[in-house]
Structure formats: structure tokens, C-alpha cells
Amino acid sequence: MRTNTVKLHVGSDITVRAASACPIVAMLRPTSGLAQWLSSETYAFDPWVPTTEHVDVYGNLCQRMVVPQGEMRLRVEATVETEPELAVAPGAPYVAVDSLPDSALLYLLPSRYCPSDKLTSKAWQVVGDASPGYGQVEAIRAWINSSLSYRYGSSDASTDAAATLEQGAGVCRDFAHVGIALTRALQIPARMVVGYLHGLEPMDLHAWFEAYVGGRWYTFDATQSAARGGRVVLAYGRDAADVAFISNYAPLETVAMQVWVELAPPPGPLPPAPPPLPSASAA
Amino acid sequence: MRTNTVKLHVGSDITVRAASACPIVAMLRPTSGLAQWLSSETYAFDPWVPTTEHVDVYGNLCQRMVVPQGEMRLRVEATVETEPELAVAPGAPYVAVDSLPDSALLYLLPSRYCPSDKLTSKAWQVVGDASPGYGQVEAIRAWINSSLSYRYGSSDASTDAAATLEQGAGVCRDFAHVGIALTRALQIPARMVVGYLHGLEPMDLHAWFEAYVGGRWYTFDATQSAARGGRVVLAYGRDAADVAFISNYAPLETVAMQVWVELAPPPGPLPPAPPPLPSASAA
Amino acid sequence: MRTNTVKLHVGSDITVRAASACPIVAMLRPTSGLAQWLSSETYAFDPWVPTTEHVDVYGNLCQRMVVPQGEMRLRVEATVETEPELAVAPGAPYVAVDSLPDSALLYLLPSRYCPSDKLTSKAWQVVGDASPGYGQVEAIRAWINSSLSYRYGSSDASTDAAATLEQGAGVCRDFAHVGIALTRALQIPARMVVGYLHGLEPMDLHAWFEAYVGGRWYTFDATQSAARGGRVVLAYGRDAADVAFISNYAPLETVAMQVWVELAPPPGPLPPAPPPLPSASAA
Amino acid sequence: MRTNTVKLHVGSDITVRAASACPIVAMLRPTSGLAQWLSSETYAFDPWVPTTEHVDVYGNLCQRMVVPQGEMRLRVEATVETEPELAVAPGAPYVAVDSLPDSALLYLLPSRYCPSDKLTSKAWQVVGDASPGYGQVEAIRAWINSSLSYRYGSSDASTDAAATLEQGAGVCRDFAHVGIALTRALQIPARMVVGYLHGLEPMDLHAWFEAYVGGRWYTFDATQSAARGGRVVLAYGRDAADVAFISNYAPLETVAMQVWVELAPPPGPLPPAPPPLPSASAA
């Protein structure tokens, strides 16, 4: 990651209600990644329940627990060093499929909400003569931003990218799905990202996408008019099916939820250092 | 795997034609697995091209190569020890989501061709009062077998389980998708399998599904009227998107294809053993 | 993990000095595991340097950075729910090698500091007629505790278990190496653990070992006269070579170091919950 | 892999004798890799026993089975496309530790037979002013080749690189251990390789090493006077402890063993292709 970073304090405070014990898988704890370093975090719940954590096939940290009958509150906070400005690379070229890293191939395939196999003509129409690679993905992103309406309630948990294109409206998750589906239709790997964005209005958990061009993953956000840094990634996946912040396996209501992203105050000085060792020894 | 096995000789001989160089990912080489042991295999192509192999997130062995302009032939053969009869377990219970192994969670999520999120009512209607777990999955399998028509041409590469249910017909891949989608809708992990089935009529590469009940994966095949062993697995995935025997990233025609599954002849004796070592030494 | 836990606040504050820029790999951030849940943590350094994090083949979280010329301070703190009492299982049986999980096989092999291949007779002599499995490992642990002297300065970074046995003395890392080497010599998987132990005297980072018997990993600590809980794991490995809290690749001095393990104060109440959503919606 | 390859037919025929049932882990089946493509292979045993296969942390394919009381024969053959000439890169530079890929870090650490921590002065003395990177590793390789005697019986299963240096003699495995230990002492990742070498005299399973310089792994073989291709890799590891062709967990005698490496005869024509499909369809 870069030397030039901004420190953000992010968090979610969620209260859920279960009519009966409800197993969940949560993805609420960020980890360090290519463009972020986790400085500190707190994962609290009330009531406390035994919880395990594992890493899924995408590298996400997942928390498994059972929400007991009644209400339960999860409050997760983190302080993260991240890039203040997004890496952009207008000339980054298309990477031919035979030159992709093995790990990127998964992100060429269609998925639940990104039926790229149905959208090839649409994708080529949208990109026109944009330059192969970054230029095409940016053309897709800009087209979504200017052509689709951002409208709450226009979609639900079953809406895929084809449906969003048809109705011409959606929310961040839908915009990301359209971006991913059109990008994959060009045989460019694309993946879903969920996390935090500094300055998002109104503040909420957010979704965007990444595409693999020019030898690395770049960030694209079709909900924003311009490239914008200050992001904290919570999870990666093929689409929203893989990265729900809570996957519940019995009925579960969200009764309260608050999300925040702030510039972290400059850290105070560390507590006094421990005294020097009697005779310094090699580590 | 069991002591009681049958040895099958399976193979595919495929000729493809590319108008221009076409990168592909193939999944044509079986590996040893829970219910199979790979005795021998041959992977030939004509013309020969540089090829690499990697393991994907599902544990499948994948071959990457570029089909040059013109025709190319792939011929893959294997001799595999496998189970002559399918493991069945009518009483195997449902495993609550919080007791599943971490690695099974992925197979609860909806995917491109298995939009389980849309099929919850259908699933509960189909299983009626079947006993939770194996009984329910078997009820789904039997219902598909008796309620859907097996009809070539009734589906294409974009048909998902919801569409198959609507039109009431499909081929093996569609039957598997319906089985997976309905199973997942009950919060039972289900995954796609492609491979060979001894005695399949007409012979072809085949697709079926597995469900996780009673603490392990069991095989279900909705195209067959009864449980039937003699299977060789080529690949596992969330659905057909993940397990195409050839994923092509440029136009590619299949101009000839033959598939075979035979009882392997009893092996002849091994060649004479090498002479004893002068003085036997510990390995 | 269990319902009955104790919450510990652990931390390390380390100052190192580098004559010139020194690449390091640190393993100072705990993760949630079988017997622990990470509630909160902070990873601070001064000066701040770009750092990446990855997971090694043992599942440990590793931090990579370059210590710049001069002094650098690392201060890592965590609050962890863990088991107040160690799981013990006197009758847990030996698991035959052919029944071990694949992932345990690695821990049967000799390693840099645990040349189990040289210690077979010693191991059988130590365990006598202890019952195969847990009983044997506990016999090894108790024998080390009663037969070897805990003595600072009796060993250095090149001392292996054979050397420790010869000189009859060592520190926690050496005791763990002996325990691992003798356990492996019985064909029981054994692995190194480093972390924190509540109440350790004098307080420091600590090392112990785990053995796989009776179908799971159990904890053994040859430096303690009795089984003792209150542990926080930092890293697992085959031996100390794999789990140094700092591996440095240029000269590096440790000039100050302090380690603490305390009962975490009962958590204050969470901040007020956010207001209920206008109309509660399903997650 | 390269376009220019040579096709080798390699094999091992091993008879072992067990006084009582003996669990083993074998690494006798090659896989495709960076410089090799597996064309065909056969894995036969007599008597046949149920066998499972898994992939270890190094990516090796491992076969687990129980050798029944008495004699058992394993015969494994493979035809492999490989590089006729070794890739050499005299100017390939040293990669600073902070620029290594995460996956290479493991191969910097000392291991059972490669106590690199004890051999730093020796390593620097051997390389003199060789150019950092490939030049240093080649200097180590050449020095071993000219300074150590190849002598059967000079070492056993407990001999490490330090002991080999002391006695000035060893076999291929010892030469590889010395090469690895000295290379790691320079903070260059080095790993053990076992496999086949065309033209080896006398023919046997062979061991050599690889070092990571100039951004990739290169092959070095201290038993040969010059760089030599025609290699088929069976397994990678930190040292011989990880890559035994058979790890046995009860007494096991090798009573006969034969190894061969031959140029594969030019393949005959494939059997006739299947007839064209009635109407060619897209894959």
C-alpha cells in the first residue's frame, strides 16, 4: 500500500430481532488488504454469544453465531489507514484471458445477480470505441452513473443486473451488479465489493466493484460522478449473494442500524514506552 | 473410499474449431476423490499446445490453453475405481446451519442458475412432510424425475432453475439446477457435479447434484428413476457456470464429440517385478 | 468455543533498533480461533510505515513491513474471550495415522528444532505404559516439567530438542520443542504455539504445544505444574522457526519490551443504540 | 511452460514389506507444473487397497493408504512434457525480502535438515563476491559440486546440512540440503525438489533444489557438473522431511525398487476421431 494514507474511523451498529434462534454468518470485520491497513477494531455484541470466525474462498473473514430469540445488538468499529484518492489508470490495457492470473478466472463467470452471459450485446454497445481495458470499464461505470436512476425501493433481494437494466433504476448494489455483469461480458474479471465510503450521502454500508485490467484490480463506483477514495473494504465476492453483511438462516428483522465513517482524530501519543532492557538483545 | 469398487474406463474425444486463437479453460481430467480413485489417465491433444494446470476454489483441476486457429482435438481417457452402488441414507438428518462445516456454507447461497432465494415456497411444497435432511432431498429428486420432462432443446446456456420449473422440461444440467435450487431453499447445502455415469443412455457427459445431510455429501440424480452408482466426477461447483467442461473466451465450435464409459477389463498382470535389492533397506 | 469464557486484555510493547532498513515479518496480531474470540485490538507503530498482512500456510496472520533505520516501536493490544480452564481429556485415545485428518499429517514430520526422528527410544522410555494418546502426551509433559530445569541463558536460537535433552535445561520454547519432538516420535501430531498466558511469572510472550489425540487438538504446557487456562494464541507452527513474533532479515536489536496479560475490566455499557428504523425491514 | 519440450516416460516400481499393517503417505504421482505437463500416468498397486489423495500445504499430491501385512508392490508410471534444457539466468538479481511474494517467505526459514541459521558465515565465505542473486546460488551449487564427495553410505536419514559439510560427503539429498541451507543463509528462498532426471547415473529417484531469484524459481543441481534439463518433479518441500516418496508410520522394508526415465517414443496417431456432429454446435 502507499505511503500517503488517510485514517478513517468506521463503524456499524445494528440491532436485529429473531422470533426464534437464528444462525447467521456476518462479514462485519475488515481485514488489512491491498489498499488498507487495519489499525484497530472492536467487535461487540449484546448479549454475548459464542462465535467462531473463518476465512471463506474469497479471503473474507466471516463470523458465525446464533442470534438468540429476541433482540441482539452488534456494534463493530474499526480504524483503518486507506488511500485518500482512488488509484486510476486510464490507459491500463485489457489483459487477454490467457494471461490472467489463475485466481482472476472465477470473476469472469456469470453469477446470481450478474448474468453476464445475457448481456454481451449491451456491453459492447455501452463501451463503444472506448480503449480496451480500463477505458471500457470506466465507460461502463460512467454510463451507469448517467443512465440509471438511483432510487430506493426500485429493487429487492431478487433483482439481478438484467432486471435493473430493464427498469432503469436501482441502488448501489444494483449499480455494482450492472457494472460487474457488463464488464464480465467483455471478458474482463469483475468482482463485488462491500464496505464503507467516506462522505457517502446518506451514510450507509456501500457496494461498488473492481475490475482486473493492466495487471491489477482497480476500483469503480457507478454511484459516484467522479473517482473517490476514502474506502474501507469489508468483503469481496462474485456478487451480493457472497457478501451480505449478515446472511440469516431463519427469519431476522433489522430493527435499528447506524453506520458511520469519519476522519480519525490524529492519534494521541502512545503511552510511555517500557524502559530499555538491561542489555539490549537481538530479536 | 470403500473396499468394494468397480473399475471404469471413461473418456471424451472432442474436436473444436476456432475462427481465431481462443483461450479456454477445460475441466476434463478427473482426480481422486471421496468415492473414486484415479488409476490411470491420458490427456492428449492434436496439435499440442503449451498448457498449464491449476486448482480452482472448488478443488477442481483446470487446464488452461489457447486453441489455435483451425481445428483442435482433445482426447482424455481415465481408468477409475469407483462405487458400484450409490451410498444412500434415507434417515440421514438435516444439519442445522450453525453445525455445518465452514466449507459447506458456500453451497447455501444462490448462484447464476440456482436462484434458490426465489423458490422457497416451491421447495416446501415439493417436500411436503418428508423427513428433514436426506428425506427432503430425495423427495425433491423424485419429484423432478416424475414431474419434469427430459427434452433436448428445451433449454439453453441461459436457462436457470426458475425457467426450467416454468417450462416443465430440461436436460440433465437443468434437472440438477432445479434440484440444487430447491435443496438450498431448505437451507441444505447443495452443489453441482459433472462427470460420467456408467450406462447412461444416450451416452454423454452428465450432470447431477450432491447435498450435505447427515454429516457428509450424498449424491442425487434427478434424471434417473433409481439410485445408481458407477459415477466418475470431473468437477464440482455452485452450478453449471463453474463446471463447464470447456469455458471458451472467443467463438469456438464443437465439431465432433464422443463420450464413453465402460467396465475396465480386468487388469493384466503387472510386468515382472524388479529383482530384490541386494540387501533390503528400510524406506 | 464454549459459553463459559474469561475476557483477557493482552499486549506487547516492543522497541527495536535497526542499523539500516530491516525487512521484518511479525506475528503479533491474534485472530479468533477454536478456543478464543477476538473482541478488540489495536496495532500501532511509531513511526508509521506501509504494512501488508497475509495468512501463512498455518493460518497465521503475518505483518510485513520494513523497519527504517533507527528505532521503531510496535505496540499491539487485544481483548480476547478465552477459556478460563484448559480442556483436558485423560482418556482421549491415540488416533491411528490412517485416521488422522489430512491437515494433521504435517505435524508428524520432524522439523528444525524438533528432530523427532532421533528421539524414538527416548519417547518410549518417557511414556512407559501411559495410555496411548492423551495419557502419553501428558506423561511427556509431566516428565519435562519434573526432569528439565527452567533456566534462562541455557539455550539460544540454534538449540534444538535433542540439545535441550542433553543439557537438561531450557526455557519455554525449549520445553515445547522437547514436548513436540517426543510426541511426534510416538506418531502423534504435535505443533508449536506461541501466545500469552495469564499469570505467567515473570510475564513474557510464552510458548507451549498442542497434540492431536481423541479427534482434536489439546493444549499441553511443560513449563506449568498443572493444566492452566487463560491463554491467547498468537501463532501455530511446526516449531519456533515458524512462529517468531518478529523474523528480521537484517540486524535488529530489541531495545525495550513489555508484555501484559490482565483480566479485562467488565465492559461498560455500549453507547446508546441507534434509534429504531422507521419500519423494521428484513436483513 | 515453453513451446519447446521433450516428452519423457518415467516410472518407479517399488516392493515394500510390512510386518504388520503400515499406514503410509506416498508422493509418487507427478502433477503438471511450471515446467512440466502431465500427458498420461498409471498408478497401480498389488494388492489393491483403498487409497485417498489430498494436496498438502506445498501443493503436492499425496496418496494415503495402509500397506497390509506382507508384501505390496507400487508401480507408478508417467509420460510428461518437460524442458529439455534448464532455464538459467546468470544475471538474475537478488530479490530483497520485502519484495518477495508472500508464498516464498516460508522457504527462508530453517528446517530439519537445513539449519541455515548456523551457516551464515559459511555461506558468505562460499559465495565470495559472486553477484547477488542467481550468481550466488550458482556459486554455492558449483562449490558443493567441486568440494563435496558423492559417496553412498556417507549419510543416513538423520544427517543434516551441517553434518554433511563437516564430513565433506553425501548423496543427492545431502547436496540439496547443503545448497538450500547456504542459499537461505543469504536470505534467498530455497526449496527441496524430488523427482526424476533423464540420464542420471545410476538411475534412481533424485533430489535437487530451487532458489527464488530474479522474480521466479530456478533449478539448481549440485550433483551435476553442468546445468541439465530433462527433469520431472514429484514434490516440493522445505527439505527431505516433507518430500519422502514414502513416509511410513510403522516398520516397512523396501525389498525391490526400480526407477526409469526414457525418451517417450513419438506418439502414434490418435485413434480415429469421432464423426462430426450432425450440426456443429457452440461449446
Side-chain angles (χ1 to χ4, degrees):
Chain A
M1 71 179 295
R2 309 176 185 186
T3 328
N4 172 28
T5 62
V6 63
K7 192 178 240 174
L8 296 178
H9 177 246
V10 302
S12 299
D13 194 318
I14 304 170
T15 304
V16 291
R17 184 189 296 141
S20 60
C22 173
I24 66 170
V25 179
M27 294 189 186
L28 285 166
R29 171 128 66 186
T31 54
S32 299
L34 277 185
Q36 69 189 26
W37 164 258
L38 181 60
S39 285
S40 75
E41 42 101 2
T42 299
Y43 202 115
F45 13 27
D46 179 21
W48 190 81
V49 294
T51 304
T52 61
E53 216 162 18
H54 69 280
V55 176
D56 70 13
V57 297
Y58 305 103
N60 302 311
L61 205 48
C62 305
Q63 298 87 41
R64 298 180 65 177
M65 65 194 88
V66 178
V67 176
Q69 187 187 351
E71 288 199 1
M72 177 169 173
R73 183 169 166 207
L74 292 98
R75 184 180 166 95
V76 187
E77 297 179 84
T79 307
V80 178
E81 301 272 357
T82 186
E83 297 182 339
E85 281 164 33
L86 215 52
V88 296
Y94 172 72
V95 179
V97 170
D98 46 302
S99 297
L100 288 171
D102 294 337
S103 59
L105 294 174
L106 182 63
Y107 300 102
L108 285 173
L109 303 173
S111 58
R112 170 66 184 88
Y113 298 109
C114 303
S116 45
D117 51 302
K118 294 177 176 171
L119 297 172
T120 308
S121 331
K122 183 67 184 176
W124 285 105
Q125 174 201 322
V126 165
V127 300
D129 55 1
S131 72
Y134 193 97
Q136 291 172 325
V137 187
E138 172 57 19
I140 288 169
R141 192 205 67 74
W143 178 84
I144 296 169
N145 183 256
S146 62
S147 309
L148 301 187
S149 306
Y150 197 97
R151 197 157 64 228
Y152 288 103
S154 57
S155 62
D156 62 26
S158 79
T159 306
D160 71 6
T164 298
L165 280 169
E166 217 165 299
Q167 68 202 15
V171 296
C172 63
R173 132 192 181 122
D174 305 302
F175 280 30
H177 285 154
V178 173
I180 293 166
L182 296 178
T183 300
R184 284 186 196 154
L186 304 176
Q187 297 172 4
I188 297 175
R191 64 184 181 190
M192 186 85 171
V193 191
V194 294
Y196 296 92
L197 172 59
H198 187 219
L200 184 67
E201 279 291 340
M203 182 46 67
D204 203 347
L205 287 172
H206 190 47
W208 61 90
F209 72 108
E210 290 186 358
Y212 191 93
V213 289
R216 55 160 280 191
W217 292 99
Y218 285 94
T219 292
F220 296 87
D221 186 342
T223 68
Q224 302 298 307
S225 52
R228 187 164 169 180
R231 293 167 191 273
V232 173
V233 174
L234 276 174
Y236 294 100
R238 280 162 77 174
D239 63 27
D242 298 335
V243 293
F245 63 90
I246 294 181
S247 294
N248 54 302
Y249 293 97
L252 192 73
E253 258 188 319
T254 300
V255 297
M257 177 158 177
Q258 192 173 13
V259 174
W260 61 95
V261 180
E262 299 149 4
L263 288 177
L270 290 177
L277 296 174
S279 75
S281 62
Chain B
M1 69 179 297
R2 308 177 184 184
T3 329
N4 172 28
T5 61
V6 63
K7 192 178 239 173
L8 297 178
H9 177 245
V10 302
S12 299
D13 193 318
I14 303 168
T15 305
V16 291
R17 184 188 295 141
S20 60
C22 173
I24 67 171
V25 179
M27 294 190 186
L28 286 166
R29 172 130 60 187
T31 55
S32 299
L34 277 186
Q36 68 189 28
W37 165 258
L38 181 62
S39 285
S40 74
E41 42 101 2
T42 300
Y43 202 115
F45 13 25
D46 180 20
W48 189 81
V49 295
T51 304
T52 61
E53 218 161 15
H54 70 279
V55 176
D56 71 12
V57 296
Y58 305 103
N60 302 310
L61 205 48
C62 305
Q63 299 86 42
R64 298 180 65 177
M65 66 195 87
V66 177
V67 176
Q69 187 186 352
E71 289 198 358
M72 179 168 171
R73 185 170 165 205
L74 292 97
R75 185 182 167 95
V76 187
E77 295 179 85
T79 306
V80 178
E81 302 272 358
T82 184
E83 297 182 338
E85 280 163 34
L86 215 51
V88 296
Y94 172 72
V95 180
V97 171
D98 45 303
S99 297
L100 288 172
D102 295 336
S103 59
L105 295 174
L106 183 63
Y107 300 102
L108 287 173
L109 304 173
S111 58
R112 169 66 184 87
Y113 298 109
C114 304
S116 45
D117 52 302
K118 293 178 178 171
L119 297 172
T120 307
S121 334
K122 183 68 185 174
W124 286 105
Q125 174 201 322
V126 164
V127 299
D129 55 2
S131 72
Y134 192 97
Q136 291 172 325
V137 187
E138 173 56 20
I140 288 169
R141 192 206 67 74
W143 178 84
I144 296 169
N145 184 255
S146 63
S147 308
L148 301 187
S149 307
Y150 196 97
R151 197 157 63 229
Y152 288 103
S154 58
S155 62
D156 62 25
S158 78
T159 306
D160 70 8
T164 298
L165 281 169
E166 215 165 302
Q167 69 201 16
V171 296
C172 61
R173 132 192 182 122
D174 305 302
F175 281 29
H177 285 155
V178 173
I180 293 166
L182 296 178
T183 300
R184 283 184 196 157
L186 304 175
Q187 296 172 5
I188 297 174
R191 65 183 179 190
M192 185 86 171
V193 192
V194 294
Y196 297 92
L197 171 59
H198 187 219
L200 184 67
E201 278 293 339
M203 183 45 67
D204 204 349
L205 288 172
H206 191 45
W208 61 89
F209 72 107
E210 289 186 359
Y212 191 93
V213 289
R216 54 160 282 192
W217 291 99
Y218 285 94
T219 292
F220 297 87
D221 186 342
T223 69
Q224 303 297 307
S225 52
R228 186 166 172 177
R231 292 168 191 273
V232 173
V233 174
L234 277 174
Y236 295 101
R238 281 163 75 175
D239 63 27
D242 298 335
V243 294
F245 63 90
I246 294 181
S247 294
N248 55 301
Y249 294 97
L252 191 74
E253 257 188 319
T254 301
V255 296
M257 178 159 177
Q258 194 174 11
V259 173
W260 60 95
V261 180
E262 299 150 4
L263 289 176
L270 291 178
L277 295 174
S279 76
S281 61
Chain C
M1 69 179 296
R2 308 176 185 185
T3 328
N4 172 27
T5 61
V6 62
K7 192 177 240 174
L8 296 178
H9 178 246
V10 302
S12 299
D13 193 317
I14 304 169
T15 304
V16 291
R17 184 188 296 141
S20 59
C22 172
I24 67 170
V25 179
M27 295 189 185
L28 286 166
R29 171 130 62 187
T31 55
S32 298
L34 277 184
Q36 68 189 28
W37 165 258
L38 181 60
S39 285
S40 75
E41 42 102 0
T42 299
Y43 202 116
F45 11 27
D46 180 19
W48 190 82
V49 294
T51 304
T52 61
E53 216 163 17
H54 69 279
V55 175
D56 70 12
V57 298
Y58 305 103
N60 303 311
L61 205 48
C62 306
Q63 299 85 42
R64 297 180 65 177
M65 66 195 87
V66 176
V67 176
Q69 187 186 351
E71 289 199 0
M72 178 168 173
R73 185 170 165 205
L74 291 98
R75 184 180 166 96
V76 186
E77 296 179 85
T79 307
V80 178
E81 301 272 357
T82 185
E83 298 182 339
E85 281 163 34
L86 216 51
V88 297
Y94 172 72
V95 180
V97 170
D98 46 302
S99 298
L100 289 172
D102 295 336
S103 59
L105 295 174
L106 182 63
Y107 301 101
L108 287 172
L109 303 172
S111 57
R112 170 66 184 87
Y113 298 108
C114 303
S116 44
D117 52 302
K118 293 177 177 171
L119 298 172
T120 307
S121 334
K122 183 68 185 174
W124 286 105
Q125 175 201 320
V126 165
V127 298
D129 54 2
S131 73
Y134 192 97
Q136 291 172 325
V137 187
E138 172 57 20
I140 288 169
R141 192 205 67 74
W143 178 84
I144 296 169
N145 183 256
S146 63
S147 308
L148 301 187
S149 307
Y150 196 96
R151 196 157 65 228
Y152 288 103
S154 58
S155 61
D156 62 26
S158 79
T159 307
D160 70 7
T164 298
L165 281 169
E166 216 164 299
Q167 68 201 17
V171 296
C172 62
R173 132 193 183 122
D174 306 302
F175 280 30
H177 285 155
V178 173
I180 293 167
L182 295 178
T183 300
R184 285 185 196 156
L186 304 176
Q187 296 172 5
I188 296 174
R191 64 183 180 188
M192 185 86 172
V193 192
V194 294
Y196 296 92
L197 171 59
H198 187 218
L200 184 67
E201 279 290 339
M203 182 47 65
D204 202 349
L205 287 172
H206 190 46
W208 61 89
F209 71 107
E210 289 185 0
Y212 191 93
V213 290
R216 53 161 280 191
W217 292 99
Y218 285 94
T219 292
F220 297 87
D221 186 342
T223 68
Q224 303 297 307
S225 52
R228 186 165 172 179
R231 292 167 191 274
V232 173
V233 174
L234 277 174
Y236 295 100
R238 283 163 75 175
D239 63 25
D242 298 335
V243 294
F245 62 91
I246 295 181
S247 293
N248 55 302
Y249 294 97
L252 191 74
E253 258 187 320
T254 301
V255 296
M257 179 159 176
Q258 192 174 12
V259 173
W260 61 96
V261 180
E262 300 150 3
L263 288 177
L270 291 177
L277 294 174
S279 76
S281 61
Chain D
M1 69 179 297
R2 306 176 186 185
T3 328
N4 172 27
T5 61
V6 62
K7 192 178 240 172
L8 297 178
H9 177 246
V10 303
S12 299
D13 193 318
I14 304 169
T15 303
V16 291
R17 184 188 294 142
S20 59
C22 173
I24 66 169
V25 178
M27 294 189 186
L28 285 166
R29 172 129 62 187
T31 54
S32 298
L34 276 185
Q36 68 189 27
W37 164 256
L38 182 61
S39 285
S40 74
E41 43 102 0
T42 299
Y43 202 115
F45 12 27
D46 180 20
W48 190 82
V49 295
T51 304
T52 60
E53 216 161 19
H54 69 278
V55 176
D56 70 12
V57 297
Y58 305 103
N60 302 311
L61 205 48
C62 304
Q63 299 86 41
R64 298 180 66 177
M65 66 196 86
V66 177
V67 176
Q69 186 186 353
E71 289 199 359
M72 177 169 173
R73 184 171 165 206
L74 292 97
R75 185 181 165 95
V76 187
E77 295 179 85
T79 307
V80 178
E81 302 272 356
T82 185
E83 298 182 338
E85 281 164 32
L86 216 51
V88 296
Y94 172 71
V95 179
V97 171
D98 46 302
S99 298
L100 289 172
D102 294 336
S103 59
L105 294 174
L106 183 63
Y107 301 101
L108 286 173
L109 303 172
S111 58
R112 170 66 184 86
Y113 299 109
C114 304
S116 45
D117 51 303
K118 293 177 177 171
L119 298 172
T120 307
S121 333
K122 183 68 184 175
W124 286 105
Q125 172 200 323
V126 165
V127 300
D129 55 1
S131 72
Y134 192 98
Q136 291 172 325
V137 187
E138 172 56 20
I140 288 169
R141 192 205 66 75
W143 178 84
I144 296 169
N145 184 257
S146 63
S147 309
L148 302 186
S149 306
Y150 196 97
R151 197 157 64 228
Y152 289 103
S154 57
S155 61
D156 61 26
S158 78
T159 307
D160 71 6
T164 298
L165 281 169
E166 215 164 300
Q167 69 202 16
V171 296
C172 62
R173 132 191 182 123
D174 305 303
F175 280 29
H177 285 155
V178 172
I180 292 166
L182 295 178
T183 300
R184 285 186 195 155
L186 304 176
Q187 297 172 3
I188 296 175
R191 64 184 181 189
M192 185 85 170
V193 192
V194 294
Y196 296 92
L197 171 59
H198 188 218
L200 184 67
E201 280 291 340
M203 182 48 65
D204 204 348
L205 287 172
H206 191 46
W208 61 90
F209 71 108
E210 290 185 359
Y212 192 92
V213 289
R216 54 160 282 190
W217 292 98
Y218 285 93
T219 293
F220 296 87
D221 186 342
T223 69
Q224 303 298 307
S225 53
R228 188 166 169 178
R231 293 168 190 272
V232 173
V233 174
L234 277 174
Y236 294 100
R238 280 162 76 175
D239 62 27
D242 299 334
V243 294
F245 63 91
I246 294 181
S247 293
N248 54 303
Y249 294 98
L252 190 75
E253 257 188 321
T254 300
V255 297
M257 178 159 177
Q258 193 174 12
V259 173
W260 60 96
V261 180
E262 297 149 5
L263 287 177
L270 291 176
L277 295 173
S279 75
S281 61

